[in-house]
Amino acid sequence: MTLKTPEEYLKSIQRDVNIYMFGEKIKNFWDHPIIRPSINAVMKIYELAHVEKYKDIMTTKSHITGEIINRFTHIHQSTDDLIKKVQMQRLLGQHTACCFQRCVGFDTANAVYSVTYEIDKKKNTNYHERFKKYWTEVQQQDLMVDGAMTDPKGDRSKRPSEQSDPDVFVHVKEQKEDGIVVRGAKIHQTGFLNSNRAIIMPTLTMRPGEEKFAVSFGVNTDEKGITIIYGRQACDTRKLEEGKLDVGNYKYGGQECFVIFDDVFIPNENIFMNGEIEFSGELVNRFAGFHRQSYGGCKVGVGDVVIGAAALISQYNGVDKASHIKDKIIEMIHLNETLYSSGIACSALGHQREAGNYEMDMLLANVCKQNVTRFPYEIGRLAEDIAGGLFVTLPSEADWNSKEIGHLLKKYISTCDGVSPDDRYKLLRFIECMSMGVASPSYKTESMHGAGSPQAQRIMISRQANVDEKINLVKKILDIE
Ligand code: SF4
Ligand code: FE
């Protein structure tokens, strides 16, 4: 059994990576105040896997080795596994109030597992065995893995092969006997820097002539030729200031990177697709489906914290008994549990793939994520409504602690007897962070664009839903031929 401790995980990512932020190369990135909260969020995953009461959710038995593994490295073997995945993500969202980054590689692995099996069956390749071997190492070493899909894409009106600069899509630059050389970039890379490995996938369905772009492979995140540029988040430099309260969620945060692959060599054993264009779309859709299911868990957990913050600030403000406040909290709960319902529903109605693993229901997973593009905005709006405007006009922590004026701020920010003004200050800052700050990258914008922007789900919904069947229903009832 290998369940890394948070400290062992931390040690495993202390390597020499080519990482830049604010135009400078970063040394010992794990100690950087802007980056560290994102590492803390990942460490929480490793920590909870050792907590007795969460064992059933956080760990499971590997179908490959029979050993106990962290669930984030599991290949789903039943609909119960799919449900537990969503429960686990809600749990982590509740503990971190941000993106904990490990789901992307998890979802990638489950998609690659079934797609490689199907490629092999049709093409006589051996991608599936390769991938199983690769993933067994991940399970046995409890590695943190990123999954990389989104290319910069250049001119959206042109196909990958028509771009004036082919590098805007990751592609095979050179085929060698023992491997391939790849070039390109992946953007919005959740947790890439905090991951030991990454699995790269094509960004869209490739067509004949676009074989070099239909490529999937595993790579170490510190491989030669990889450059990582850290993504900015709103208010990120507050983490560089003295004090911590102005950060809001000062313990945890998400991480997004811009990753460039400049002629990176990938040995044959780490290649899981190389030119099989007819499977590129399937890989994209399956990964996206799994990740849209994920949002029915992680964003619900974060939503729980937002609802808790709104309820607590209403107590601090002395308005928690007001009927309109109670009703707003009920509305927030209703919306949040609706998200959870679709996350659970697409899991419960999952099905088995030929490779033996289980996959969520594609239509319901896309409905789930479509809901996530909307409801967190309303939940956030209600939290802001309940909090009052102070969370965006509040003076800084330096003023709060100032010998000259701090006592005045505390006097006028005090509310009910028994409520500490310090706690109210801290909570208002937290609400600010959840609403527009560094949490997640953002609870709301990540809900909108993470796992695909709204239109991507609408395309999948239109493909999955059978409207003709619905027309026939009404025809049958009305005796229409
Ligand atoms: Fe996981 Fe949610 Fe972060 Fe995606 S956005 S990696 S599902 S926590
Ligand atoms: Fe995401």
Side-chain angles (χ1 to χ4, degrees), residues 99 104 190 256 291 295 299 446 450-451:
C99 168
V104 203
T190 304
E256 303 293 331
H291 208 46
Y295 273 54
K299 292 293 171 278
E446 191 174 52

Side-chain angles (χ1 to χ4, degrees), residues 281-298:
E282 263 315 296
L283 184 52
V284 171
N285 290 341
R286 287 183 205 181
F287 163 72
F290 277 122
H291 208 46
R292 288 168 194 170
Q293 172 206 24
S294 289
Y295 273 54
C298 81

Side-chain angles (χ1 to χ4, degrees), residues 17-27 29 32 35 193 226-231 256-258:
V17 274
N18 198 25
I19 158 81
Y20 287 81
M21 191 199 289
F22 299 130
E24 280 174 19
K25 194 165 171 167
I26 308 285
K27 286 250 172 266
F29 71 86
H32 196 291
I35 300 173
L193 177 62
I226 293 181
T227 300
I228 306 169
I229 308 164
Y230 208 78
E256 303 293 331
C257 305
F258 208 110

Side-chain angles (χ1 to χ4, degrees), residues 246-466:
D246 283 340
V247 176
N249 185 356
Y250 47 82
K251 285 189 194 152
Y252 307 108
Q255 172 187 97
E256 303 293 331
C257 305
F258 208 110
V259 183
I260 294 157
F261 297 84
D262 195 11
D263 297 349
V264 179
F265 176 73
I266 310 295
N268 284 332
E269 62 265 28
N270 295 347
I271 301 172
F272 312 129
M273 177 186 285
N274 187 8
E276 292 78 9
I277 44 168
E278 64 271 47
F279 290 94
S280 56
E282 263 315 296
L283 184 52
V284 171
N285 290 341
R286 287 183 205 181
F287 163 72
F290 277 122
H291 208 46
R292 288 168 194 170
Q293 172 206 24
S294 289
Y295 273 54
C298 81
K299 292 293 171 278
V300 181
V302 177
D304 285 326
V305 183
V306 174
I307 295 168
L312 186 59
I313 200 70
S314 76
Q315 290 176 5
Y316 286 1
N317 292 351
V319 295
D320 55 311
K321 302 282 185 302
S323 63
H324 75 100
I325 297 287
K326 284 188 193 163
D327 194 54
K328 281 165 187 162
I329 300 281
I330 291 168
E331 178 67 11
M332 293 166 89
I333 295 168
H334 167 72
L335 291 167
N336 205 40
E337 298 301 334
T338 304
L339 297 179
Y340 191 50
S341 308
S342 47
I344 293 295
C346 71
S347 309
L349 293 187
H351 56 97
Q352 192 172 25
R353 281 284 178 191
E354 255 184 279
N357 64 323
Y358 274 71
E359 191 174 295
M360 75 291 129
D361 181 86
M362 194 59 89
L363 174 59
L364 294 187
N366 278 278
V367 170
C368 172
K369 175 65 217 315
Q370 182 81 178
N371 288 340
V372 174
T373 64
R374 299 172 180 174
F375 298 175
Y377 283 83
E378 183 61 8
I379 293 170
R381 190 186 72 79
L382 289 166
E384 292 180 24
D385 178 352
I386 292 171
L390 190 57
F391 74 91
V392 287
T393 62
L394 207 56
S396 71
E397 187 181 356
D399 294 313
W400 188 252
N401 293 326
S402 152
K403 282 202 176 67
E404 286 160 60
I405 48 163
H407 65 285
L408 289 173
L409 283 176
K410 285 175 198 190
K411 171 179 157 76
Y412 289 108
I413 279 174
S414 290
T415 51
C416 316
D417 290 341
V419 173
S420 139
D422 290 293
D423 289 346
R424 185 166 183 245
Y425 183 87
K426 203 191 246 186
L427 182 59
L428 286 165
R429 279 283 177 241
F430 183 78
I431 293 169
E432 180 199 24
C433 168
M434 296 310 293
S435 175
M436 57 196 70
V438 295
S440 242
S442 151
Y443 168 54
K444 289 184 281 191
T445 312
E446 191 174 52
S447 293
M448 173 76 84
H449 291 293
S453 306
Q455 189 56 22
Q457 290 112 55
R458 299 185 81 78
I459 291 167
M460 286 306 287
I461 289 170
S462 78
R463 279 190 202 151
Q464 298 286 320
N466 189 341

Side-chain angles (χ1 to χ4, degrees), residues 9 61 75 99 147 149 161 164 175 177 185 215 220 235-236 260 263 274 280 293 308 334 339 410 452 462:
Y9 156 71
K61 196 187 262 189
I75 303 294
C99 168
M149 177 159 282
S161 50
S164 44
Q175 299 272 1
E177 198 149 315
V215 62
N220 290 340
C235 310
D236 51 5
I260 294 157
D263 297 349
N274 187 8
S280 56
Q293 172 206 24
H334 167 72
L339 297 179
K410 285 175 198 190
S462 78

Side-chain angles (χ1 to χ4, degrees), residues 151 153 155 157-171 203-207 209-210 212-213:
D151 288 284
K153 296 200 276 280
D155 180 345
S157 70
K158 290 180 176 162
R159 295 292 307 172
S161 50
E162 296 164 353
Q163 299 288 335
S164 44
D165 181 355
D167 296 353
V168 292
F169 286 85
V170 167
H171 61 278
T203 201
L204 44 80
T205 304
M206 297 300 168
R207 297 177 186 166
E210 296 171 346
K212 69 176 179 181
F213 301 100

